[in-house]
Amino acid sequence: MSKPLVFEKPLGMRDILPDSLAKQRHLELKLRHCIEKWGYEEILTPSLEYFDTVGAASATLADRMFKLLDKQGQTVVLRPDMTAPIARVVSSLYKDVPLPIRLFYQANIFRAQEKEAGRNAEFFQTGVELIGDASVDADAEMIALAIFCLQSVNVPSFRIAIGHVDFADGLLEEIVPDERAQAKLRQFLSDRDFVGYRHLTDSLELDGRSRHRLHALLQLRGGKEKIAEARELTVNGKARKAVETIALLWEALEAYGLTDYVLLDFQLTSHLNYYTGVIFEGYAADLGSPLVSGGRYDQLLAQFGRPAPATGFGIKVDRLMQVTAVDVPTSSKTLLIYGAANRQEALMRAQQMRSAGAIVVTRLLEHRGELAVWQEQADWTIIDLTEEREG
Amino acid sequence: MKQTDNLQKLTIAMPKGRIFEEAVGFLQEAGLQITSDLAESRKLIIPVPETNLQFILAKPTDVATYVEYGVADVGVVGKDVLLEEERDVYELLDLQIGYCRMMVAGLPGWKPTESPRVASKYPKIASRYFREQGQQVEVIKLNGSVELAPIIGLADRIVDIVSTGQTLRENGLIELEHICEITTRLIANRASYRMKSEAVDDIAQKFLQVIPRNQK
């Protein structure tokens, strides 16, 4: 690559200018208020973590992490998510704090080698983790809180797609005896390649009923009625247990009165086997990629030495910025101009105004021509304390 | 689930070029009210009156891009594009039109060379294929007239799609290896697949009705 030009930034890095940042901070504040009411406490962990600990436990592929060497020659990574660092804290500094633990974060995280526009390498996420509660009610709390968060920032139209990682897995294990075919079908599902999935199921030696059950999986996306359909496809075991969990979850969400926002999707699978139970993704109208992703990850904490069930979700604040209908409150600003003789009076007055909540810029005016720049901007009120006032 | 009018509107990306006519015919058969002169119009966004549909006409490789980014909800595109572009989209249906084969071709009497070179419009497919075959090759990306490469000595083989094989024959090339079959697919954006699930299912269902009729 040629030497960077002075205006260039590393791939995927962005500047956030005042107007956008004001909006982002405003959204983050609203999300924070929403989450705090549910008893979650904010935590912040370091930007750098060891590759061998947090890096290895993370759901992000190693080739998408920013890796560097510290002075001792250890490989460190810029945190690719906040979940693994929080698991580290809960298992170490917090190891004597009784479960369940409720934590939330608002932080920037880093994922490298995104090739195209709109794919940031550094992005902002607000998320929550509920550690030490294996119940369906904990899963429901995550989904409900995600919905209330999106409502708090006025996302006009959104849906949460909910699935369970064991459903497709269990169904394939029940029906397809050959493990290699199973793995391939699982891969097709996680690649969202239904054509490949259908072609392979057609070529397997199966009875008609089994083939029908495999094909029916591709229709399992919709409302409550899909629970009964899913139940019919499974004999028992893993997949059936997943359906029963989803049924209980639906009841819990009914109790919250939130099922209008929910789309059941039994095709959802987990990449990298990171999630272990209920998973969900939030989508908004006019946004091509998920706004929220979350789910249950009961294996992660054990990697840090304190085995515990856990669930959580993250909201991508950058994407939220594109769909929110929230108005950012604007405040009027005052420009106070003064001459050399009344500087003290002017500065005192400005300070009084600031104490009363106003935004005040002071300026020693040497040429009246300088005023033009300010007068052109509608949101400035000008108070003129110069001596040279004419007339 | 909550429904708003907006969630019923569907933008369909259609590929100009090789499979366009066949794709339009397919859509008409599926009962979508589109006129055959779609391509003659110079407009790139074409609303269909009295329906909730609009079409975007795009280069085939861009169809997958539009759908991935969500500016189109669904798209009609060849599997060749999907294999090459590796876009994160739902591949819902094999429409079984636009049939062709992805293959390796070269001059008759081709022999393995010391530093093999392959020319292709599909550099990713070519690299992946030869890697799976345990061969290290140098891939040269071309944007057209790929058949020329072996004749003028730019590469010793090519990877390209072939439907009748006529272009190959006219240029004195032969098929050496068959990589895979290519047909046209219906793809959907990840968010549209959820947010507009009813509308997406509806169109997939209409397409599904037509597919068996087209089966060879």
Side-chain angles (χ1 to χ4, degrees), chain A residues 208-280:
Chain A
R209 164 80 187 141
S210 297
R211 186 164 295 133
H212 164 77
R213 284 160 70 201
L214 289 176
H215 285 180
L217 174 62
L218 302 181
Q219 311 300 327
L220 282 183
R221 166 174 129 278
K224 190 184 181 181
E225 72 284 356
K226 295 294 167 187
I227 297 174
E229 287 177 32
R231 200 176 273 136
E232 262 175 42
L233 295 183
T234 64
V235 184
N236 57 47
K238 197 167 159 184
R240 173 57 71 90
K241 250 176 97 182
V243 180
E244 298 316 330
T245 302
I246 293 288
L248 292 172
L249 179 61
W250 184 273
E251 279 174 26
L253 291 169
E254 262 173 352
Y256 276 108
L258 293 175
T259 48
D260 273 353
Y261 296 98
V262 170
L263 177 84
L264 293 180
D265 187 341
F266 286 96
Q267 300 151 7
L268 278 178
T269 54
S270 164
H271 81 123
L272 296 179
N273 297 321
Y274 178 78
Y275 288 116
T276 57
V278 170
I279 43 173
F280 57 98

Side-chain angles (χ1 to χ4, degrees), chain A residues 116-117 119 159 192-195 198-199 221 261-263 265 267-268 281 283 285 287-288 290, chain B residues 1-3 68-69 79 87-94 185 189-191 193-195 197-198 201:
Chain A
E116 284 173 302
R119 309 268 176 93
R159 275 181 184 175
R192 300 179 245 287
D193 178 359
F194 294 171
V195 172
R198 230 180 264 117
H199 283 176
R221 166 174 129 278
Y261 296 98
V262 170
L263 177 84
D265 187 341
Q267 300 151 7
L268 278 178
E281 288 177 345
Y283 290 92
L287 186 72
Chain B
M1 264 155 296
K2 284 199 169 168
Q3 286 292 312
E68 184 185 38
Y69 279 84
K79 181 67 177 174
R87 296 283 167 187
D88 187 6
V89 294
Y90 275 94
E91 197 176 320
L92 297 180
L93 289 178
D94 182 349
R185 308 292 161 93
N189 170 264
R190 274 180 79 179
Y193 183 69
R194 270 52 175 269
M195 288 304 292
S197 53
E198 295 80 5
D201 287 350

Side-chain angles (χ1 to χ4, degrees), chain B residues 81-98:
Chain B
V81 171
L82 296 176
L83 288 170
E84 181 64 23
E85 298 282 310
E86 298 177 314
R87 296 283 167 187
D88 187 6
V89 294
Y90 275 94
E91 197 176 320
L92 297 180
L93 289 178
D94 182 349
L95 303 185
Q96 298 175 11
I97 57 172

Side-chain angles (χ1 to χ4, degrees), chain B residues 162-194:
Chain B
V162 173
S163 51
T164 61
Q166 197 182 340
T167 319
L168 281 188
R169 279 193 299 277
E170 282 171 1
N171 289 289
L173 301 181
I174 56 162
E175 286 186 38
L176 297 170
E177 287 160 60
H178 176 267
I179 299 179
C180 61
E181 316 249 296
I182 303 290
T183 49
T184 303
R185 308 292 161 93
L186 174 69
I187 58 172
N189 170 264
R190 274 180 79 179
S192 305
Y193 183 69
R194 270 52 175 269

Side-chain angles (χ1 to χ4, degrees), chain B residues 91-135:
Chain B
E91 197 176 320
L92 297 180
L93 289 178
D94 182 349
L95 303 185
Q96 298 175 11
I97 57 172
Y99 174 84
C100 59
R101 309 181 297 284
M102 182 70 63
M103 45 89 242
V104 184
L107 290 165
W110 171 84
K111 293 253 162 40
T113 56
E114 202 175 279
S115 49
R117 275 178 153 194
V118 174
S120 184
K121 278 188 274 189
Y122 303 95
K124 274 193 201 161
I125 296 176
S127 306
R128 205 184 311 137
Y129 174 74
F130 285 109
R131 208 158 171 249
E132 280 164 10
Q133 305 302 308
Q135 299 176 42

